[in-house]
């Protein structure tokens, strides 16, 4: 009779445990490599091009080191674009998030139902659709529509004609022809187009807050503003933080909106220019300078990363959880 050697208990499970790692690596590594190549290689190529004088349509590419970055210091239009991006970065997130929180609060806890129950205002489901509508419209369409809103009265400008219709014609301005107004026009349009998304996002976060908390606070004599500041904001703060970082990234772009509304020149005297439009203009407007455009793009990338990290650090706070 042939004697078989018995294996210790658990040997087979250990072998299976060891065998699963090569299997998992074989499944994940090829996809990770392909994703990493197509994700990071454009960044590396842009960084290399930023160190050259490549024109984009020529075979020659001479290494110039940091000359493109030194050129930025003496470029007044670049400084204008950077200033405008900083204005968008500081103003648009504040206005958008404040408006989004207020509207979401009204939609979810702004009304009173039977027996004093806290509910949303009447027609809240309709308001959500209305506020979210700009998100399903192309940025190009948004820019074209608002370009006509701010157009002169004789060109069918909605805003100036409305001001004249209500007897405030003295407030009518050539909004898109005055350099001092251009960046603030962009701020208004960005806030309008972004707010609806954050209304819906904050509404989803507020729906997880028990209504009993609001009702108890109101019974204790707390005002609506107090409950908003002491209950709503702390309990949706994680969502606010995510929205703030995302809005900061959007504010550092603005290419599509500005290029359609104000043109690739940044409007009158380039007063509405932003870094994204500056990159496009340097790369595709003669004399084409892809090297300088890539250098501006690298700076834009680094600024966006730095802003995101700073915002995440500043907005970090202790998490409030419901028992």
């Amino acid at each position: 009779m042939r004697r078989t050697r018995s294996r210790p208990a658990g040997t087979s499970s250990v072998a299976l445990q060891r065998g699963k790692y090569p299997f998992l690596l074989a499944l994940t590594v090829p996809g990770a490599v392909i994703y990493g190549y197509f994700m990071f290689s454009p960044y590396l190529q842009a960084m290399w091009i930023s160190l050259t004088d490549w024109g984009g349509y020529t075979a020659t590419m001479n290494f110039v080191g940091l000359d493109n970055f030194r050129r930025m210091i003496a470029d007044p239009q670049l400084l204008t674009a950077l200033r405008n991006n900083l204005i968008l970065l500081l103003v648009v997130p504040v206005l958008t998030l404040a408006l989004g929180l207020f509207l979401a609060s009204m939609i979810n806890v702004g009304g009173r139902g039977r027996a004093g129950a806290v509910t949303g205002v009447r027609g809240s489901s309709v308001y959500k659709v209305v506020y979210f509508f700009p998100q399903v419209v192309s940025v190009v369409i948004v820019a074209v529509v608002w370009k006509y809103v701010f157009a002169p009265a004789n060109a069918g400008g909605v805003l100036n004609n409305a001001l004249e219709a209500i007897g405030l014609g003295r407030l009518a301005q050539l909004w898109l022809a005055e350099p001092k107004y251009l960046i603030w026009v962009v701020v208004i349009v960005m806030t309008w187009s972004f707010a609806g998304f954050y209304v819906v996002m904050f509404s989803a976060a507020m729906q997880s807050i028990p209504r009993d908390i609001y009702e108890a606070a109101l019974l204790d004599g707390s005002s609506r503003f107090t409950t908003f500041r002491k209950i709503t904001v702390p309990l949706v703060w994680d969502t606010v933080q995510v929205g703030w970082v995302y809005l900061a990234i959007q504010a550092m772009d603005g290419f599509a909106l500005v290029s359609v509304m104000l043109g690739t020149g940044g409007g009158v005297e380039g007063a509405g220019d932003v870094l994204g439009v500056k990159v496009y203009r340097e790369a595709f407007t003669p004399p084409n300078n892809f090297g300088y455009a890539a250098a501006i793009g690298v700076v834009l990338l680094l600024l966006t990363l730095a802003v995101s990290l700073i915002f995440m650090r500043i907005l970090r706070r202790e998490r409030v959880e419901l028992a």
Side-chain angles (χ1 to χ4, degrees), residues 11-219:
T11 303
S12 58
S13 62
V14 172
L16 290 174
Q17 192 77 7
R18 291 176 179 175
K20 78 174 183 179
Y21 294 110
F23 176 73
L24 293 175
L25 290 175
L27 288 178
T28 58
V29 169
V33 170
I34 294 173
Y35 175 80
Y37 174 78
F38 287 104
M39 181 69 183
F40 295 107
S41 64
Y43 293 105
L44 298 177
Q45 292 177 39
M47 292 178 183
W48 164 248
I49 294 172
S50 69
L51 303 176
T52 69
D53 63 353
W54 187 43
Y57 302 101
T58 61
T60 58
M61 182 184 292
N62 301 316
F63 181 79
V64 296
L66 299 177
D67 287 353
N68 288 324
F69 295 93
R70 296 190 188 99
R71 177 182 168 186
M72 295 182 193
I73 302 175
D75 188 346
Q77 190 58 38
L78 178 67
L79 297 179
T80 299
L82 180 60
R83 181 202 64 193
N84 289 338
N85 272 107
L86 291 177
I87 291 174
L88 295 177
L89 177 64
L90 295 175
V91 178
V92 171
V94 173
L95 293 180
T96 303
L97 294 177
L99 185 60
L101 280 170
F102 172 73
L103 295 176
S105 180
M106 294 300 295
I107 287 174
N108 289 274
V109 294
R112 298 293 292 272
R114 295 180 179 179
V118 175
T119 62
V121 296
R122 184 175 300 177
S124 57
S125 59
V126 177
Y127 292 144
K128 287 181 183 179
V129 175
V130 173
Y131 293 145
F132 191 77
F133 180 74
Q135 297 298 313
V136 302
V137 179
S138 169
V139 177
V140 175
I141 297 176
V142 170
V144 171
V145 169
W146 279 94
K147 186 175 182 179
Y148 281 102
V149 170
F150 289 107
N154 56 8
V158 176
L159 178 58
N160 285 336
N161 281 321
L163 290 173
E164 292 181 0
I166 61 176
L168 297 176
R170 63 184 183 280
L171 299 179
Q173 302 287 337
L174 298 175
W175 305 104
L176 300 181
E178 289 288 342
K180 62 182 178 181
Y181 295 134
L182 294 183
I183 190 60
W184 301 109
V185 167
V186 176
V187 166
I188 292 172
V189 178
M190 275 192 170
T191 303
W192 177 86
S193 61
F194 294 159
F197 175 80
Y198 294 95
V199 169
V200 175
M201 185 169 72
F202 292 147
S203 294
M206 291 177 189
Q207 287 175 1
S208 64
I209 303 175
R211 295 293 184 268
D212 297 344
I213 298 178
Y214 290 104
E215 294 171 2
L218 293 175
L219 288 174

Side-chain angles (χ1 to χ4, degrees), residues 139-144 147 254-264 277:
V139 177
V140 175
I141 297 176
V142 170
V144 171
K147 186 175 182 179
F255 166 75
L257 186 64
V258 173
S259 61
V260 175
M261 281 190 66
L262 308 180
T264 55
V277 175

